Amino acid sequence: MSQYWSDIVHTLTPYVPGEQPKITNLIKLNTNECPYGPSPKAIEAIKAASNDDLRLYPDPNGDALKDALAKRFQLERNQVFVGNGSDEILAHTFIGLLKRDKPLLFPDITYSFYPVYCRLYDVNFNQVPLNDHFEIDIESYQQPCGGVIIPNPNAPTGALLPLDKIEQLAQQHADVPVVIDEAYIDFGGASAASLINRFPNLLVIQTFSKSRSLAGLRVGFALGNADLIAGLERVKNSFNSYPLDRLALAGSVASVEDEEYFDDCCRRVIATRTQLVAALDNLGFSTLPSAANFVFTQHPDNNAASLAEQLRARNIIVRHFKQGRIDNFLRISIGSEAEITALIEALTNILKK
């Protein structure tokens, strides 16, 4: 601990991202990256943007990307916000929209960056327990609050809330922001973006890191009422006026415009997820229903931490969370068909011992 740190730094417990080991021949199923590369059109756009114009600042507003997203979601440009990954947008949301006298509500088992942001920005919060099936129970959110944020599908469980439940949540809390973090929505759910023009308190946040295979580019966006978006713009322009560089803007615009490639990648991931769940069932695992590009599973006769260690010894890494109710679960990202085949072969051999 440094004597030069500000007082708040001593109190922080930082978010721990999924491991990015430098191991050759690694099957990496721990960070929910897409197993397929980005749209070839996105790659070409990035290459074309790699020219002398890199000496110039990028568009601080990201208007070309906002326009592409507005067209896709049938919104107006002033209903779209773009930033350096959805994590940055979440950070702006916590300080700009969710810091209030009453507590922010979010699930007790969810994206672990939420409590980190709360402590960083001194946001009062209450964590609402998932039910016995590890699902978000909307009725549990019927309590006074300064806002609500939930991932849909939830992480790390993969459970999906249907749109009518999101609508109910927005109605219940019409006087405060309701934020839906849709990092995984493209793998089995319907986006709450369709509700935005009906609910001025609703903010939807998505990322290019999962379904658009651009985790290395760091692009995210938010959709909502123009008033909410204006609040985010004020925070952003008080923090960093140029969050997206020229290459990120070029690649993300091309990705949005290549709908056919995007749809194909999502279909392939969903098909492989179905195959993985069936194979895990045959091995005796119990897997929660998932609408994401990962599954959350446990084996009744085998310790999850031990399984993760034995898989790692075989150059396969999955995510194990050392947390109360879920400490015997593994979160397994959906890889390519070949990677999932190798995973099942490894688990089969481990369980035979």
Side-chain angles (χ1 to χ4, degrees), residues 87-161:
D87 285 335
E88 180 186 74
I89 296 173
L90 286 167
H92 292 342
T93 301
F94 272 72
I95 189 65
L97 303 179
L98 301 176
K99 184 177 171 62
R100 296 164 180 264
D101 292 334
K102 293 180 181 178
L104 172 66
L105 304 180
F106 54 82
D108 64 333
I109 299 171
T110 193
Y111 187 28
S112 54
F113 229 137
Y114 296 165
V116 173
Y117 283 139
C118 285
R119 296 183 180 103
L120 178 61
Y121 296 122
D122 194 25
V123 176
N124 186 19
F125 68 96
N126 285 338
Q127 292 177 278
V128 181
L130 299 181
N131 65 21
D132 292 341
H133 301 289
F134 296 97
E135 299 167 337
I136 293 172
D137 181 3
I138 292 300
E139 303 304 321
S140 300
Y141 286 78
Q142 291 185 358
Q143 54 181 289
C145 66
V148 176
I149 182 168
I150 60 170
N152 194 41
N154 193 20
T157 64
L160 178 74
L161 274 180

Side-chain angles (χ1 to χ4, degrees), residues 4-318:
Y4 304 112
W5 291 359
S6 299
D7 288 344
I8 191 173
V9 178
H10 293 275
T11 69
L12 296 177
T13 302
Y15 169 76
V16 179
E19 185 183 6
Q20 299 281 2
K22 296 178 174 60
I23 302 173
T24 56
N25 300 317
L26 179 71
I27 296 178
K28 188 172 178 295
L29 304 175
N30 68 322
T31 52
N32 303 336
E33 294 147 323
C34 186
Y36 311 111
S39 159
K41 294 180 181 178
I43 299 297
E44 288 304 313
I46 293 169
K47 290 178 179 178
S50 300
N51 55 44
D52 287 348
D53 285 347
L54 289 177
R55 65 187 175 83
L56 304 172
Y57 284 108
D59 175 7
N61 297 315
D63 284 341
L65 179 55
K66 288 181 179 179
D67 289 343
L69 290 167
K71 180 179 179 181
R72 183 179 191 276
F73 289 98
Q74 298 182 314
L75 297 169
E76 302 297 323
R77 180 193 288 178
N78 64 1
Q79 294 177 293
V80 182
F81 179 84
V82 296
N84 187 242
S86 60
D87 285 335
E88 180 186 74
I89 296 173
L90 286 167
H92 292 342
T93 301
F94 272 72
I95 189 65
L97 303 179
L98 301 176
K99 184 177 171 62
R100 296 164 180 264
D101 292 334
K102 293 180 181 178
L104 172 66
L105 304 180
F106 54 82
D108 64 333
I109 299 171
T110 193
Y111 187 28
S112 54
F113 229 137
Y114 296 165
V116 173
Y117 283 139
C118 285
R119 296 183 180 103
L120 178 61
Y121 296 122
D122 194 25
V123 176
N124 186 19
F125 68 96
N126 285 338
Q127 292 177 278
V128 181
L130 299 181
N131 65 21
D132 292 341
H133 301 289
F134 296 97
E135 299 167 337
I136 293 172
D137 181 3
I138 292 300
E139 303 304 321
S140 300
Y141 286 78
Q142 291 185 358
Q143 54 181 289
C145 66
V148 176
I149 182 168
I150 60 170
N152 194 41
N154 193 20
T157 64
L160 178 74
L161 274 180
L163 277 183
D164 64 319
K165 295 297 184 181
I166 302 296
E167 183 175 357
Q168 182 181 341
L169 192 63
Q171 289 174 333
Q172 287 174 358
H173 298 289
D175 58 335
V176 297
V178 172
V179 181
I180 309 300
D181 184 355
E182 294 186 340
Y184 304 102
I185 195 66
D186 297 321
F187 300 109
S191 174
S194 62
L195 303 175
I196 283 171
N197 285 328
R198 293 174 51 202
F199 297 99
N201 62 322
L202 183 64
L203 186 76
V204 175
I205 298 176
Q206 292 194 17
T207 178
F208 280 71
S209 295
K210 313 300 182 183
S211 56
R212 298 212 175 256
S213 309
L214 288 170
L217 214 55
R218 312 308 304 128
V219 180
F221 61 95
L223 309 169
N225 178 275
D227 182 58
L228 294 179
I229 300 302
L232 294 180
E233 294 286 358
R234 287 175 69 88
V235 175
K236 167 244 181 184
N237 288 320
S238 301
F239 175 75
N240 177 13
S241 296
Y242 301 96
L244 292 178
D245 61 48
R246 285 177 171 270
L247 304 185
L249 288 169
S252 54
V253 168
S255 176
V256 173
E257 293 174 346
D258 194 353
E259 199 72 16
E260 182 178 352
Y261 185 87
F262 163 76
D263 287 340
D264 183 61
C265 281
C266 291
R267 282 194 297 267
R268 294 171 71 184
V269 169
I270 292 169
T272 306
R273 182 183 69 205
T274 300
Q275 295 167 9
L276 172 59
V277 172
L280 289 171
D281 286 349
N282 288 336
L283 292 176
F285 282 84
S286 176
T287 306
L288 299 182
S290 174
N293 68 335
F294 58 83
V295 298
F296 207 50
T297 191
Q298 64 177 340
H299 196 282
D301 303 321
N302 289 268
N303 177 269
S306 174
L307 288 175
E309 290 175 3
Q310 293 180 73
L311 285 172
R312 186 184 181 87
R314 292 164 169 80
N315 274 11
I316 302 172
I317 56 174
V318 297

